[in-house]
Amino acid sequence: MKLILSLLFVFSTSCIFSQNLQKTLVILDAETKLPVQDATVTVLKTKQFYLSNKLGEVTISIKGESALKITHATYETNTVRASFLKDNNTILLKKNTKELDEIIITKQHPQKILKMLIDNSIAHFTMPARLKVYEREFLKLDDKYAYFNDGLLNFQLTGNPNIARTDILIEQNRSYGLKDEFVGDDAVGYNLDNISENYYNFKYLEFLLTTSAKKDFEFIIKSYSKTHSYYIMQIIPTDNAVGLYDHYYIVYDYKKKLIVEVSSVLSDQMLAKLSDRPHLNPKEIEKSSFKTIYKIDDNQYYFFSSREEIKLKRKINKVPRVVEVSNTMVTTAFSTKHFTYKDNEIFKGKTLYNVPNHILTNYWDISGLTATDEELSIIQKLSELGK
């Protein structure tokens, strides 16, 4: 079955490269002309998804005539015809966020509203489902790039939203770098096995529902969008908070009661506390942030993308090191159809760290996430290190 899947993928990918045209979009803020990161570009004809990088760049593959829908929670939706595109195209997006902060007064405490949003979102996730995901990860040791991996993965989710099982099948993958410098599951790598727990059960938000969180955080709900029924819930640590906490921002559709985005960042103010309260930082975290986007598409609701970064000090092989990991995942295609596979074909590991390279095509060129010139340079250097 694995061979059949591989042959089918090679055939379909070769068709894409031989028949499809590649176009590059640069998505900018209409007012500031700054790049728009995390904009979703959907090829409506094929339901292929792409995500803009930090430079606002998207490289898409088009076969025949189709419209492209460009969406972002902060901007108005824009639709363009593929036939109008040139080799390089600048797309300007107009902001749809409220110019003035309007605090929403609610009868319930926002913490109870968050609990309702989490429960309702979990109940409405489309199940069963199959997500074709592109995953990319960079790792630095002592502020120098030391390792890279990426891969095309299939996440097949079965069961029900409350008790979901995720089987992962690897189509292609590659990794480069000095692997011998860091050994062990806790030293490197994003835990792919946690996608259901973290993204489909909102595990990372659970502690915000506790009694202590009500004391340590200020919960504020504000209006967010002029064109969508979106509110934003800001959950900010108070000055008296006794833990090392991120600032949380949750964008949600208040009519459908579904979570659209979750992001967090460890603020400079919180990091400044570390010198006064060293017990708050046992792992000596220097940077931490993540952003998760969920897609509402007609009657379907599912995980779309995540971007996580963490920098901390820890011992590797008993030697103190500074470790920085950045990981991005983007769903490039979504389906409710199953495909069959054997149990021994399921990926049992946590990361792509020790998986042998399996490259059939230049899959990264149609990955859904365009690499910047800087990232391409880093990948090339790391590939040379591994030779």
Side-chain angles (χ1 to χ4, degrees), residues 5 9 12-13 48-49 129-135 151-157 169 171 303-304 329-335 339 366-367:
L5 286 173
F9 182 79
S12 62
T13 305
Q48 183 76 12
F49 306 132
R130 176 159 54 94
L131 283 65
K132 184 180 287 293
V133 173
Y134 175 72
E135 186 260 4
L152 270 183
L153 316 170
N154 280 291
F155 291 87
Q156 183 145 292
L157 291 91
L169 286 87
E171 284 191 2
F303 163 81
F304 176 68
M329 293 198 298
V330 55
T331 297
T332 64
F334 173 85
S335 174
F339 59 91
I366 55 169
S367 65

Side-chain angles (χ1 to χ4, degrees), residues 2 18 45 68 71 106 117 129 143 173-174 192 270 281 283 318 325 331-333:
K2 189 172 184 179
S18 62
K45 184 177 181 179
L68 308 177
T71 58
T106 61
L117 288 171
D143 294 321
N173 66 282
R174 58 179 177 163
L192 296 172
M270 184 59 72
N281 197 18
K283 291 185 178 180
K318 299 182 180 181
V325 180
T331 297
T332 64

Side-chain angles (χ1 to χ4, degrees), residues 155-197:
F155 291 87
Q156 183 145 292
L157 291 91
T158 55
N160 61 67
N162 290 301
I163 308 175
R165 170 184 169 179
T166 306
D167 290 340
I168 304 174
L169 286 87
I170 301 175
E171 284 191 2
Q172 301 191 66
N173 66 282
R174 58 179 177 163
S175 60
Y176 303 122
L178 304 174
K179 295 184 180 181
D180 293 339
E181 288 213 20
F182 42 93
V183 179
D185 290 340
D186 63 342
V188 62
Y190 178 82
N191 189 346
L192 296 172
D193 201 34
N194 280 351
I195 185 172
S196 294
E197 185 175 41

Side-chain angles (χ1 to χ4, degrees), residues 22-25 85-89:
Q22 287 193 1
K23 301 288 184 180
T24 299
L25 310 181
L85 297 178
K86 301 176 181 178
D87 290 336
N88 293 284
N89 305 266

Side-chain angles (χ1 to χ4, degrees), residues 311-329:
K311 183 177 182 180
L312 49 82
K313 294 177 182 178
R314 70 191 318 165
K315 287 186 178 181
I316 300 177
N317 296 329
K318 299 182 180 181
V319 178
R321 309 295 293 269
V322 178
V323 182
E324 185 172 358
V325 180
S326 60
N327 179 282
T328 305
M329 293 198 298

Side-chain angles (χ1 to χ4, degrees), residues 359-374:
I359 303 172
L360 302 172
T361 64
N362 293 346
Y363 63 87
W364 46 88
D365 288 337
I366 55 169
S367 65
L369 182 64
T370 304
T372 65
D373 289 342
E374 179 187 14

